[in-house]
């Protein structure tokens, strides 16, 4: 029984063991079981076409021998052998970490699997390392972060997202009956389509049911591979994509996979709240993880590229009147950046727009009581820029190919140390000269023509580019501890837990239509923390689908409230309302950003949305009708969550002040009346 390992979290148990052949096998994952009662089953060959390994639940399947299913690891040794055999060498189990070392004795390589647990969480962090102790190179062709085996032989519903620019985080559920279901990105960044996550369940709902989930901490090419075999076992491998990937592991070198965060929960609410808390407590950069994010104003949608000291100060004055705490100047402030055709790479102030520099603007913003932030797109360059004229070879390219442009831009080769340093220096210079407290780091196109002839093995670019981005972000944060970083990639193209290990917030989507946004935010909230989710109130789609300012605020107040509307067009009534909403947000933002979240009614496919956020001090309900007519269905009875049964709560609905017990609110509920489409109600329970 010595070779059975138990991981105990608050409410879950994960068990693995080493069999008599030295194979590391999965045994159990699910509700917590306190007694150590597990053992390993024997495996026998079933017939000449199915090896005994078909039935084995492996903790980390490697390619080699009689293993025919999807694998988490593949490599080629220096003598061209492509067969991996990793058997148990030793294990080290400490209070919060189990480290299992598997070894290939012939090739002197160690595969090390890490399992980290936390006293305050049900999440298990997993990652893998490969160590080369031989004298030759090993070509690593796949190094996933983890593999999970789902219990039982019945099929699972697998949830991921299927989206695009402006429509990120659109949830999709697929029942995996046979074969493979794969979600990936080959774009260099996470992209807008699928997420590096999995959620697997049979009949779970918000309140209950077995849910297995995981998310990868990585913003580059990823792959989520779900496979159901002929006996019915569903396995999921999560990690960096192996597409066009390899890494030459030199003698003495170690390569670590990104971290994956996996969990088991009873229902979707449990799952989301567990991940929200875990991200705040263990993933986000420490400097701001536990502080509520400031209310931000960003001028992009108001003025586009046409920034000037005068219009920025005018907007800043209005933003300050509304209660904003951070003013961000977006694109357009640098180089010859008058449109999206020129300027990227020239990170110095445009003197036509700011003849005296930007210090007077920053001072003006600071005098209004706000911090100042600036937009960069540091991984990019344009042909029409001083940087490209000086360093045309700093982009990914092949000598024989013409580089394809997207938004007239090209991707800098960050695997060159001089380019990585340039990227750091360009932001460092601005930060050292000016009082800049926030950077929005944008990335507006995927890679193409990915040649990097500075690298011995060019297939390393995918990993090395992402690592360079993280390194620059970390260096900036280290040098400027007060600096807040936001990751953006044309909206939500880099909104993943990898970004959230290095950036304090993410931009979820360029689509700021308040109704579309409810779907996007809901998809984001499944596994990613609400507190990181910047949500702007704008004028988006005002001509196509008029929406009240109340609805716009109610939508954005369910994330990290920010403003992006053209305040020059706000009437005095709009300004008054907006200021009231900002003030209300400040009263509830701790609850929204750090509290538990309950999806009482999911509007997709229904006629209204109702989401509640609760902590020990207060609770807030956002109820919002969809665009369709509600006809005779205007009254909605909502059972609330998260109260203490014996406590009394006061709240106001439609100007009527009420008082009820927690048990009444949770069992009988309250009635919400919608008088028509696109109506919103915010109810605060004290
Ligand atoms: C991207 C971002 C926007 C804005 C523009 C500026 O589209 O997602 O928020 O910053 O770039 O060019």
């Amino acid at each position: 029984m010595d070779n059975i390992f138990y991981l105990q979290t608050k409410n879950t148990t994960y068990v693995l063991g080493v069999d008599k052949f030295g194979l590391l096998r999965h045994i159990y994952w699910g509700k917590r079981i306190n007694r150590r009662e597990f053992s390993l089953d024997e495996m026998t060959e079933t017939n000449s076409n199915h090896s005994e390994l078909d039935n084995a639940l492996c903790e980390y399947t490697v390619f080699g021998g009689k293993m025919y299913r999807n694998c988490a690891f593949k490599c080629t040794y220096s003598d061209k052998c492509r067969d991996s055999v990793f058997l148990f060498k030793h294990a080290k189990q400490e209070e919060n970490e189990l480290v299992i070392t598997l070894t290939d004795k012939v090739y002197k390589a160690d595969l090390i699997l890490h399992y980290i647990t936390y006293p305050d969480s049900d999440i298990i962090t997993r990652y893998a390392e490969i160590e080369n102790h031989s004298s030759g190179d090993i070509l690593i062709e796949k190094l996933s972060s983890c593999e999970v085996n789902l219990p039982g032989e019945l099929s699972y519903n697998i949830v991921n997202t299927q989206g695009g620019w402006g429509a990120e985080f659109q949830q999709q559920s697929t029942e995996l009956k046979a074969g493979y279901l794969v979600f990936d990105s080959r774009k260099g960044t996470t992209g807008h389509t699928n997420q590096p996550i999995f959620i697997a369940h049979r009949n779970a709902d918000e309140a209950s049911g077995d849910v297995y989930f995981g998310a990868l901490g990585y913003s580059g090419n990823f792959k989520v591979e779900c496979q159901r075999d002929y006996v019915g076992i569903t396995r999921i491998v999560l990690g960096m994509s192996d597409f066009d990937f390899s890494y030459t592991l030199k003698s003495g070198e170690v390569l670590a996979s990104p971290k994956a965060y996996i969990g088991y929960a009873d229902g979707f609410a449990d799952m989301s709240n567990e991940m929200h808390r875990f991200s705040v407590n263990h993933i986000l950069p420490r400097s701001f993880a536990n502080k509520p994010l400031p209310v931000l104003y960003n001028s992009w949608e108001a003025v586009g590229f046409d920034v000037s000291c005068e219009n920025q100060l005018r907007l800043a004055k209005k933003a300050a009147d509304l209660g904003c705490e951070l003013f961000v100047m977006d694109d357009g402030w640098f180089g010859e950046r008058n449109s999206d055709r020129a300027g990227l790479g020239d990170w110095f102030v445009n003197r036509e727009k700011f003849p005296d520099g930007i210090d007077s603007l920053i001072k003006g913003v600071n005098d209004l009581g706000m911090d100042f932030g600036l937009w960069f797109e540091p991984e990019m360059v344009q042909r029409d820029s001083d940087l490209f004229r000086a360093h045309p070879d700093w982009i990914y390219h092949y000598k024989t190919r013409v580089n394809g442009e997207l938004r007239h831009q090209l991707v800098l080769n960050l695997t060159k140390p001089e380019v990585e340093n340039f990227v750091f220096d360009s932001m460092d210079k601005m930060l050292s000269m000016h009082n800049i407290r926030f950077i929005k780091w944008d990335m507006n196109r995927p890679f193409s023509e990915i040649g990097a002839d500075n690298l011995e093995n060019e297939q390393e670019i995918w990993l090395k580019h992402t690592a360079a981005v993280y390194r620059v972000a970390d260096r900036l944060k280290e040098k400027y501890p007060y600096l807040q970083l936001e990751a953006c990639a044309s909206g939500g193209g880099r909104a993943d837990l990898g970004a959230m290990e290095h950036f304090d917030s993410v931009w979820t989507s360029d689509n700021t239509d308040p109704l579309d946004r409810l779907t996007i935010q809901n998809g984001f909230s499944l596994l990613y923390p609400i507190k990181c989710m910047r949500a702007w109130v704008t004028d988006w789609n005002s001509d196509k689908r008029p929406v009240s300012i109340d609805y716009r605020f109610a939508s954005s107040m369910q994330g990290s409230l920010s403003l992006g509307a053209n305040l020059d067009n706000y009437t005095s009534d709009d300004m008054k309302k907006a200021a009231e909403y900002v003030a209300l947000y400040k009263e509830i933002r701790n609850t929204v950003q750090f509290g538990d979240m309950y999806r009482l009614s999911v509007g997709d496919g229904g006629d209204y949305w109702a989401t509640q956020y609760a902590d020990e001090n207060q609770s807030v309900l956002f109820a919002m009708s969809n665009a369709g007519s509600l006809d005779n269905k205007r009254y909605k009875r909502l059972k609330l969550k998260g109260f203490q049964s014996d406590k009394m709560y006061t709240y106001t609905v439609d100007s009527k002040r009420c008082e009820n017990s927690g048990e009444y609110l949770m069992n009988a509920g309250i009635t919400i009346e919608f008088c028509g489409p696109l109506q919103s109600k915010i109810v605060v329970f004290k």
Side-chain angles (χ1 to χ4, degrees):
M1 294 294 275
D2 278 345
N3 280 346
I4 307 274
F5 304 98
Y6 289 78
L7 300 169
Q8 298 288 21
T9 73
K10 273 186 320 177
N11 305 297
T12 76
T13 295
Y14 189 107
V15 188
L16 57 157
V18 181
D19 69 14
K20 62 183 180 201
F21 307 104
L23 191 67
L24 185 65
R25 286 167 54 192
H26 179 73
I27 302 177
Y28 173 80
W29 186 23
K31 281 210 169 76
R32 186 171 165 127
I33 297 173
N34 288 315
R35 279 176 62 93
R36 300 185 161 227
E37 296 175 73
F38 289 95
S39 59
L40 273 165
D41 301 331
E42 282 279 326
M43 294 181 300
T44 49
E45 183 188 318
T46 44
N47 69 44
S48 70
N49 280 292
H50 296 290
S51 95
E52 68 281 9
L53 291 174
D54 282 7
N55 286 314
L57 305 182
C58 291
E59 273 300 304
Y60 196 81
T61 302
V62 299
F63 175 76
K66 294 179 286 177
M67 188 63 86
Y68 303 109
R69 65 167 166 269
N70 185 37
C71 57
F73 179 87
K74 183 173 183 300
C75 74
T76 302
Y77 293 105
S78 53
D79 65 355
K80 306 272 185 286
C81 171
R82 307 197 306 282
D83 190 82
S84 288
V85 179
F86 282 99
L87 298 177
F88 183 72
K89 186 176 177 187
H90 55 73
K92 196 168 95 192
Q93 187 154 26
E94 288 171 349
E95 203 184 337
N96 292 322
E97 185 167 10
L98 169 66
V99 183
I100 299 215
T101 303
L102 310 170
T103 195
D104 187 323
K105 280 194 188 140
V106 177
Y107 287 98
K108 298 193 171 50
D110 284 350
L111 182 61
I112 305 163
L113 304 182
H114 293 259
Y115 299 80
I116 305 170
T117 54
Y118 305 82
D120 62 349
S121 176
D122 284 328
I123 305 298
I124 301 172
T125 298
R126 289 186 56 180
Y127 66 100
E129 289 175 305
I130 176 81
E131 270 181 22
N132 182 359
H133 298 293
S134 72
S135 53
D137 292 350
I138 306 175
L139 189 70
I140 309 301
E141 291 158 284
K142 187 170 189 183
L143 178 69
S144 305
S145 298
C146 71
E147 173 171 353
V148 298
N149 297 264
L150 303 181
E153 290 79 39
L154 298 175
S155 60
Y156 280 83
N157 299 310
I158 311 281
V159 180
N160 201 296
T161 61
Q162 175 77 2
W165 175 85
E168 296 87 338
F169 296 103
Q170 310 290 309
Q171 269 184 74
Q172 292 294 333
S173 179
T174 311
E175 185 181 351
L176 176 55
K177 289 192 171 161
Y180 284 94
L181 183 62
V182 177
F183 303 94
D184 72 348
S185 164
R186 300 176 174 199
K187 292 184 158 181
T189 51
T190 320
H192 303 78
T193 308
N194 307 138
Q195 283 297 310
I197 62 164
F198 69 84
I199 297 169
H201 71 101
R202 290 202 176 111
N203 293 309
D205 57 22
E206 283 298 311
S208 65
D210 293 340
V211 188
Y212 294 88
F213 57 94
L216 183 69
Y218 186 59
S219 315
N221 286 356
F222 68 86
K223 206 167 186 183
V224 186
E225 296 160 287
C226 316
Q227 184 183 17
R228 183 158 184 255
D229 67 14
Y230 68 95
V231 282
I233 304 292
T234 303
R235 300 176 170 88
I236 300 177
V237 171
L238 176 63
M240 293 186 286
S241 176
D242 57 344
F243 174 78
D244 190 48
F245 167 81
S246 67
Y247 187 95
T248 308
L249 195 70
K250 303 275 178 202
S251 169
E253 217 190 322
V254 186
L255 178 67
S257 76
K259 291 186 170 125
Y261 307 99
I262 62 165
Y264 158 81
D266 190 13
F268 300 128
D270 246 23
M271 167 190 81
S272 299
N273 288 323
E274 199 58 43
M275 277 301 277
H276 295 176
R277 274 192 297 271
F278 180 79
S279 310
V280 168
N281 292 337
H282 303 285
I283 295 184
L284 295 175
R286 291 301 87 202
S287 39
F288 293 100
N290 292 299
K291 296 188 186 123
L293 289 191
V295 179
L296 160 167
Y297 179 83
N298 178 302
S299 67
W300 170 247
E301 292 204 15
V303 297
F305 297 100
D306 197 14
V307 291
S308 68
C309 194
E310 189 264 322
N311 70 25
Q312 295 297 287
L313 274 176
R314 192 178 63 241
L315 289 166
K317 166 84 183 61
K318 294 186 179 179
D321 287 347
L322 297 182
C324 293
E325 297 153 315
L326 170 65
F327 181 87
V328 182
M329 176 155 70
D330 208 279
D331 202 347
W333 60 268
F334 53 90
E336 292 302 309
R337 187 74 167 166
N338 297 312
S339 71
D340 65 6
R341 303 191 88 88
L344 293 177
D346 297 342
W347 302 111
F348 45 82
V349 175
N350 179 312
R351 287 287 170 165
E352 271 165 41
K353 296 180 187 177
F354 299 93
D356 308 319
I358 55 167
D359 280 331
S360 55
L361 168 60
I362 298 178
K363 182 168 181 315
V365 167
N366 293 160
D367 288 348
L368 289 163
M370 295 184 291
D371 283 335
F372 180 79
L374 203 56
W375 180 94
F376 284 85
E377 195 177 352
E379 296 153 82
M380 296 292 156
V381 67
Q382 286 176 303
R383 287 186 197 281
D384 190 359
S385 67
D386 292 353
L387 181 69
F388 188 77
R389 285 181 281 271
H391 299 287
D393 57 331
W394 273 15
I395 56 169
Y396 293 118
H397 67 286
Y398 292 109
K399 292 198 176 77
T400 51
R401 300 281 179 224
V402 178
N403 273 71
E405 295 184 11
L406 285 161
R407 212 188 186 201
H408 318 288
Q409 50 193 73
L410 301 162
V411 186
L412 286 173
N413 178 353
L414 261 71
T415 70
K416 290 189 174 185
E418 63 273 30
V419 180
E420 181 182 332
N421 283 334
F422 165 82
V423 166
F424 173 79
D425 291 343
S426 44
M427 287 181 280
D428 178 40
K429 207 164 122 211
M430 291 299 290
L431 287 162
S432 63
M433 291 189 315
H434 310 286
N435 186 18
I436 298 166
R437 305 241 144 192
F438 172 97
I439 285 180
K440 176 175 167 189
W441 178 318
D442 212 335
M443 204 295 185
N444 281 313
R445 64 153 293 177
F447 298 19
S448 64
E449 299 83 25
I450 29 95
D453 59 13
N454 54 304
L455 297 178
E456 210 177 291
N457 174 358
E458 296 195 31
Q459 291 192 314
E460 292 174 5
I461 75 135
W462 305 110
L463 172 60
K464 289 195 159 157
H465 184 103
T466 305
V469 168
Y470 292 162
R471 239 182 343 256
V472 173
D474 292 351
R475 279 173 73 192
L476 291 172
K477 278 195 150 280
E478 199 183 323
K479 185 157 178 195
Y480 303 97
Y482 55 77
L483 180 68
Q484 288 190 37
L485 289 178
E486 180 161 300
C488 169
S490 291
R494 200 182 253 161
D496 53 77
L497 287 184
M500 289 179 240
E501 286 170 13
H502 307 272
F503 294 78
D504 305 287
S505 56
V506 294
W507 183 222
T508 327
S509 179
D510 279 346
N511 181 349
T512 50
D513 175 277
L515 178 59
D516 290 353
R517 197 68 184 210
L518 294 178
T519 300
I520 294 169
Q521 295 180 173
N522 186 48
F524 180 95
S525 77
L526 287 174
L527 296 179
Y528 298 156
I530 299 293
K531 98 151 270 223
C532 287
M533 184 175 74
R534 282 269 175 214
W536 297 359
V537 173
T538 68
D539 311 314
W540 186 281
N541 270 349
S542 305
D543 39 349
K544 285 192 223 143
R545 177 162 69 194
V547 186
S548 68
I549 208 167
D550 309 84
Y551 199 85
R552 290 179 185 275
F553 268 92
S555 173
S556 296
M557 285 164 75
Q558 298 185 56
S560 174
L561 175 68
S562 310
L563 278 76
N566 188 349
L567 300 180
D568 285 341
N569 296 337
Y570 268 31
T571 63
S572 56
D573 273 1
D574 293 339
M575 288 295 284
K576 190 166 164 279
K577 256 191 187 168
E580 283 167 10
Y581 279 118
V582 172
L584 173 62
Y585 183 71
K586 288 179 182 169
E587 280 174 34
I588 60 169
R589 77 171 142 191
N590 268 308
T591 311
V592 172
Q593 293 187 18
F594 299 101
D596 283 339
M597 175 196 185
Y598 301 99
R599 301 177 190 94
L600 306 182
S601 169
V602 175
D604 286 340
D607 45 24
Y608 75 110
W609 294 83
T611 313
Q612 198 193 338
Y613 302 81
D615 60 25
E616 61 281 5
N617 299 317
Q618 63 183 355
S619 184
V620 51
L621 167 71
F622 293 88
M624 312 192 53
S625 56
N626 267 335
S629 151
L630 288 167
D631 294 332
N632 300 326
K633 300 187 287 178
R634 59 200 275 183
Y635 297 106
K636 305 290 174 195
R637 191 78 187 168
L638 277 177
K639 286 186 187 178
L640 300 160
K641 304 267 184 197
F643 293 111
Q644 292 181 42
S645 300
D646 55 343
K647 291 260 158 69
M648 295 303 290
Y649 296 87
T650 56
Y651 58 99
T652 304
V653 189
D654 297 331
S655 314
K656 201 173 134 223
R657 204 178 137 75
C658 314
E659 184 171 349
N660 287 110
S661 65
E663 63 179 354
Y664 175 91
L665 294 170
M666 292 192 292
N667 296 310
I670 64 169
T671 299
I672 295 285
E673 180 188 0
F674 291 117
C675 301
L678 297 176
Q679 296 235 321
S680 59
K681 313 254 166 161
I682 304 176
V683 185
V684 181
F685 301 82
K686 298 264 186 200

